[in-house]
Amino acid sequence: IAYKTTAYTSYIVGALSFSFVFYLLILLLIFTRRKDASFMARQVKYASKKISEEEADKMSLQLQKLMKDEMLFQDSNIKLSDIAERLKVLPHTLSQLINDNLGKNFTVFINEYRINLAKNLIKENTHLKLEAIGYDCGFNSKSAFYSAFKKITGMTPAQFKEKESLIKSWIINRYSWF
């Protein structure tokens, strides 16, 4: 192709072009066959230090109890190391528990507790502003609260509040004859 497409070429251009394409195809073939190469393989997190099911269940219960009793998630500056210290475990062990056994990352784990509290506050306190509820639950900003709420519940806090008020009014109207 190189010999035919250029006006003035020497015989060597065709050979060089062929060699370049040939070696490129060989390299491509080698790398597609070697999918187990260490630089291409996905490493499994914590593969060598798996937490036993019994220990994971025990730690999960302790973690849930700690989160419900002390409501650490309301602290907007809470870190994984702070919770690990309270549980008397290493931070990487707690991270492994949350990632592998609970199937989420630390941020999602904390935000789920915050959103559950926010949902309860929205249901109980119709006079509070949504932004104030977000700050009370441990969020640093209105946008962080709204995006986490929507990600977890599938609706914004305002939509949730409207839905709850409709449900309350329906219940009141339905059973007002008692």
Side-chain angles (χ1 to χ4, degrees):
I1 293 172
Y3 184 75
K4 293 286 184 183
T5 58
T6 56
Y8 176 76
T9 58
S10 64
Y11 67 93
I12 197 77
V13 172
L16 289 175
S17 301
F18 175 78
S19 298
F20 177 74
V21 171
F22 180 73
Y23 290 127
L24 191 64
L25 287 173
I26 288 176
L27 284 174
L28 184 65
L29 182 66
I30 288 171
F31 283 118
T32 56
R33 286 186 177 220
R34 294 179 64 192
K35 292 187 180 193
D36 62 330
S38 63
F39 64 91
M40 295 178 80
R42 293 185 80 192
Q43 293 182 346
V44 178
K45 265 187 168 182
Y46 314 115
S48 63
K49 298 178 183 177
K50 199 80 169 136
I51 299 175
S52 69
E53 285 296 319
E54 182 180 301
E55 187 179 349
D57 291 340
K58 181 183 170 189
M59 283 176 53
S60 292
L61 290 173
Q62 289 175 338
L63 179 60
Q64 288 174 3
K65 183 174 177 3
L66 179 70
M67 295 303 285
K68 286 180 182 175
D69 292 348
E70 297 188 27
M71 299 181 82
L72 298 175
F73 55 89
Q74 284 185 293
D75 179 4
S76 61
N77 297 318
I78 193 73
K79 295 185 294 271
L80 180 86
S81 58
D82 298 335
I83 297 174
E85 188 178 308
R86 295 275 183 105
L87 287 174
K88 295 179 178 68
V89 296
L90 295 173
H92 77 273
T93 305
L94 179 59
S95 177
Q96 180 179 358
L97 174 77
I98 293 171
N99 290 331
D100 291 348
N101 298 86
L102 302 179
K104 53 190 92 166
N105 64 33
F106 178 71
T107 304
V108 171
F109 174 75
I110 292 294
N111 283 345
E112 284 178 351
Y113 277 98
R114 290 175 176 168
I115 297 303
N116 285 334
L117 177 62
K119 287 178 1 183
N120 289 335
L121 289 174
I122 290 171
K123 288 177 188 177
E124 296 169 3
N125 302 310
T126 56
H127 64 281
L128 287 178
K129 288 188 175 188
L130 294 173
E131 189 174 349
I133 289 174
Y135 287 119
D136 288 346
C137 293
F139 289 99
N140 283 329
S141 67
K142 179 181 175 181
S143 62
F145 172 53
Y146 272 67
S147 63
F149 198 99
K150 178 141 182 145
K151 185 177 182 182
I152 291 172
T153 65
M155 62 181 83
T156 65
Q159 291 170 333
F160 182 80
K161 185 175 185 175
E162 179 67 26
K163 180 182 139 201
E164 287 301 314
S165 67
L166 288 173
I167 291 171
K168 277 185 183 179
S169 65
W170 182 82
I171 290 172
I172 290 170
N173 290 336
R174 176 119 171 128
Y175 297 105
S176 64
W177 57 272
F178 280 124

